[in-house]
Amino acid sequence: MKPLRIPIALQQGVMQSLQAKLAQAGEYFDCTFPEPAVSYQQRGTSAGTAWLERWEIRLNPQLLLQNQQRFIDEVVPHKLAHLLVYRQFGRVAPHGREWRWMMTTVLQTPVRRTHEFDLAAVRRSTFPSRCGDILQPEATGTKQ
Ligand SMILES: [Zn+2]
């Protein structure tokens, strides 16, 4: 499958959101965090995944194209918060109190465990038979 092209303006929107939130965290903790690697290779119905040890965020290109600013405002801080929690607290529950605190107090972003995007298109183009897993919380472990 040919990768979807993400317009430069949209990629810049993602990076601006990421850098702004990273700067907020840096100010809060009084340190400089390295910028996570961002890729647009997330498949399926998941909006994205945070790879803790790799310090990497993978975003779903189709859901980004469809939801644009709302995706940037919700998904980017959500995934970044997973990385920051891992760095500050190690392995804890993926959406536990540390993550909620990181979102609300440090990143000043409303907490949503899941993203209510329209998943019709991604479902059609990927796993048409798997439609029960839309709003489940993400798996625990390395990938969050
Ligand atoms: Zn999450």
Side-chain angles (χ1 to χ4, degrees), residues 2 5-6 20 43 59-60 73 76 84-85 91 94 96 103 116-117 127 130 135 138-139:
K2 227 176 119 199
R5 279 183 62 118
I6 307 291
R43 301 282 187 89
L59 300 173
N60 187 314
D73 293 340
V76 171
L84 292 168
V85 164
R91 279 187 191 285
M103 284 290 280
E116 288 165 9
F117 299 131
F127 310 111
R130 285 182 58 199
L135 292 177
E138 300 130 304

Side-chain angles (χ1 to χ4, degrees), residues 45-139:
T45 55
S46 177
T49 46
W51 296 77
L52 306 179
E53 294 93 343
R54 293 190 214 181
W55 202 248
E56 179 184 339
I57 294 171
R58 292 186 193 169
L59 300 173
N60 187 314
Q62 199 161 355
L63 289 175
L64 171 61
L65 282 170
Q66 278 170 4
N67 299 281
Q68 309 236 342
Q69 197 58 45
R70 195 157 73 84
F71 185 102
I72 289 170
D73 293 340
E74 292 181 22
V75 179
V76 171
H78 179 126
K79 302 301 162 190
L80 177 63
H82 281 309
L83 295 184
L84 292 168
V85 164
Y86 176 66
R87 195 158 179 116
Q88 300 300 106
F89 302 105
R91 279 187 191 285
V92 294
H95 302 108
R97 41 198 282 267
E98 296 86 353
W99 179 81
R100 298 180 74 86
W101 174 82
M102 191 68 76
M103 284 290 280
T104 55
T105 303
V106 180
L107 302 183
Q108 294 174 356
T109 303
V111 165
R112 284 189 188 79
R113 283 167 59 122
T114 53
H115 311 285
E116 288 165 9
F117 299 131
D118 179 6
L119 297 173
V122 278
R123 249 193 246 126
R124 219 172 18 245
S125 66
T126 52
F127 310 111
S129 61
R130 285 182 58 199
C131 34
D133 57 352
I134 315 166
L135 292 177
Q136 278 176 6
E138 300 130 304

